[in-house]
Amino acid sequence: MSKDIRPLEHHNYVAFFLTLNCNLRCPYCINLHNGGSRYERARGKHLGPDEWIKAADRLVLRDDLPLTIQGGESTFYKGFYRFVREVREDIKMDLLTNMSFDTEEFIRQVPVSRFTREAPYASIRVSYHPGQNDIEELIGKTYRLQDAGFRVGIYGIEHPSIINHIHEVKERCLKLGIDFRTKEFLGEWESDLHGTFKYEGSVCGNQLKACDCRTTEIIADPGGYVFRCHADLYKGREPIAHILDEDFSESSIEKFRACSSYGDCNPCDVKVKTNRFQIFGHTTVEIRNVRELAEADAASSMPGRLYEENEKLHI
Ligand code: SF4
Ligand code: SF4
């Protein structure tokens, strides 16, 4: 019998990446476009809808913590509609999407209650990518979903190459009564690193280092594998568990794990942000004991010094 998964107070995010495939090709996309993570490719399969439903039904979520469905473009996942309809009724979801889906089908298939909860932002968050999707179409679809009872917000990334356009579109959408928000661009552009990161050299570092790292998020890739962080998930590094492992629970993400990829962290994981208690300085992961790789290798072979092995993978 599988254990419940009950995220703790300091666990901030639970996300299922139903697929990493996407119909768009945004130049700044952090996802892989070649079929997903190493594990997804190796296995050549995504979890089926029955398996995702089983995984989601294990969740016991707080009112302020929904299950976020993301990707890639998660509505392209073949069992998407069955999944959102059949998961236990009390599980609230958020959806990150580029809105390529057919709105009439979405309205027909998805109960509004699934995406309805008290929150300071919309449950359906649409990303606008200039040159990739069309703002006029997004505005029309947003109105249609709002008429059907869904709460929708459009988001634009303040990428240096499009920032003026994004601000113009924001102004226009706000005048039209559409919730349009911007997101800071994080990462490297024309040799400049954008974003405020808690740990120096963790993003685009000029040298990989070792460290111990602990997350506050439960993130599962299309194959159902759970990772320490977004960098591991997108890069298909070693997972720490599988969402269907019977003994997987919230405590599985509680420990510090040795990592030798410090310097190649994903900006989302180490960005300094304000948490839901409005305390500034929060990051998704906590990192300690940063050290040279050679030092870590030597230490790991020292008798008596225990280095954690990843748990056995669910097959
Ligand atoms: S819509 Fe999102 S997932 Fe798709 S290419 Fe753009 S950034 Fe990547
Ligand atoms: S140190 Fe960076 S790459 Fe390593 S687990 Fe933490 S966030 Fe991921």
Side-chain angles (χ1 to χ4, degrees):
M1 170 105 176
S2 299
K3 280 186 180 172
D4 285 347
I5 304 169
R6 294 174 182 267
L8 304 173
E9 264 301 301
H10 61 282
H11 293 159
N12 285 309
Y13 195 61
V14 180
F16 290 175
F17 292 63
L18 298 185
T19 178
L20 292 180
N21 296 332
C22 184
N23 55 324
L24 305 187
R25 291 292 179 270
C26 306
Y28 43 76
C29 180
I30 51 176
N31 290 353
L32 298 176
H33 288 297
N34 56 357
S37 76
R38 182 152 55 99
Y39 290 91
E40 189 187 1
R41 289 197 298 276
R43 288 165 191 285
K45 78 176 192 84
H46 292 55
L47 279 194
D50 286 330
E51 293 166 301
W52 278 125
I53 292 167
K54 189 173 165 195
D57 283 348
R58 296 177 67 182
L59 296 168
V60 181
L61 298 173
R62 307 187 307 261
D63 288 348
D64 65 344
L65 184 68
L67 167 60
T68 299
I69 305 304
Q70 67 171 99
E73 175 49 36
S74 52
T75 60
F76 281 13
Y77 171 66
K78 277 200 177 120
F80 174 79
Y81 287 115
R82 217 188 117 209
F83 173 70
V84 294
R85 267 198 324 266
E86 294 184 18
V87 167
R88 216 180 58 233
E89 214 177 313
D90 61 289
I91 304 268
K92 298 294 181 189
M93 295 185 190
D94 277 10
L95 175 66
L96 308 187
T97 175
N98 65 31
M99 228 191 200
S100 301
F101 57 82
D102 176 340
T103 38
E104 297 312 313
E105 185 181 16
F106 190 95
I107 291 165
R108 226 176 20 251
Q109 302 244 31
V110 178
V112 173
S113 59
R114 180 67 79 199
F115 291 101
T116 305
R117 69 186 179 93
E118 282 296 315
Y121 46 82
S123 296
I124 299 178
R125 298 194 284 285
V126 178
S127 46
Y128 166 47
H129 302 289
Q132 296 287 318
N133 53 5
D134 175 27
I135 191 64
E136 303 309 324
E137 190 185 339
L138 298 186
I139 290 171
K141 286 180 158 185
T142 297
Y143 280 145
R144 181 69 189 102
L145 287 179
Q146 283 178 344
D147 286 347
F150 292 98
R151 187 170 166 204
V152 183
I154 305 181
Y155 286 72
I157 297 172
E158 291 173 315
H159 190 275
S161 65
I162 50 171
I163 191 163
N164 292 338
H165 171 72
I166 290 291
H167 287 163
E168 280 163 25
V169 170
K170 176 179 178 177
E171 211 179 305
R172 182 167 156 241
C173 284
L174 292 179
K175 279 187 188 147
L176 291 169
I178 289 178
D179 178 5
F180 190 108
R181 303 188 196 193
T182 52
K183 287 196 290 190
E184 183 188 12
F185 169 68
L186 302 172
E188 208 170 17
W189 177 253
E190 292 183 342
S191 310
D192 286 330
L193 186 59
H194 294 256
T196 309
F197 306 112
K198 186 161 178 180
Y199 304 101
E200 205 185 328
S202 57
V203 176
C204 304
N206 50 18
Q207 187 195 350
L208 282 187
K209 293 190 174 177
C211 67
D212 300 320
C213 186
R214 176 170 68 180
T215 187
T216 55
E217 300 186 344
I218 298 171
I219 51 174
D221 84 348
Y225 289 94
V226 179
F227 292 83
R228 288 178 305 197
C229 64
H230 286 81
D232 284 5
L233 186 151
Y234 291 130
K235 301 213 163 184
R237 294 183 192 134
E238 202 73 13
I240 56 170
H242 192 277
I243 197 74
L244 292 175
D245 285 341
E246 290 195 352
D247 59 351
F248 178 76
S249 74
E250 65 286 350
S251 59
S252 310
I253 63 161
E254 276 294 279
K255 44 190 159 187
F256 278 91
R257 293 181 155 88
C259 172
S260 52
S261 301
Y262 180 97
D264 192 22
C265 303
N266 186 293
C268 321
D269 293 315
V270 288
K271 177 198 166 184
V272 181
K273 51 192 168 192
T274 304
N275 70 7
R276 66 182 193 287
F277 306 113
Q278 300 305 305
I279 298 168
F280 186 71
H282 171 78
T283 47
T284 296
V285 300
E286 188 182 342
I287 294 175
R288 67 184 187 192
N289 196 16
V290 177
R291 53 203 184 273
E292 300 298 320
L293 276 180
E295 206 182 300
D297 289 346
S300 64
S301 59
M302 269 165 59
R305 177 83 188 260
L306 187 66
Y307 264 67
E308 181 201 276
E309 296 286 333
N310 285 320
E311 284 99 332
K312 233 182 161 26
L313 298 180
H314 165 100
I315 301 292

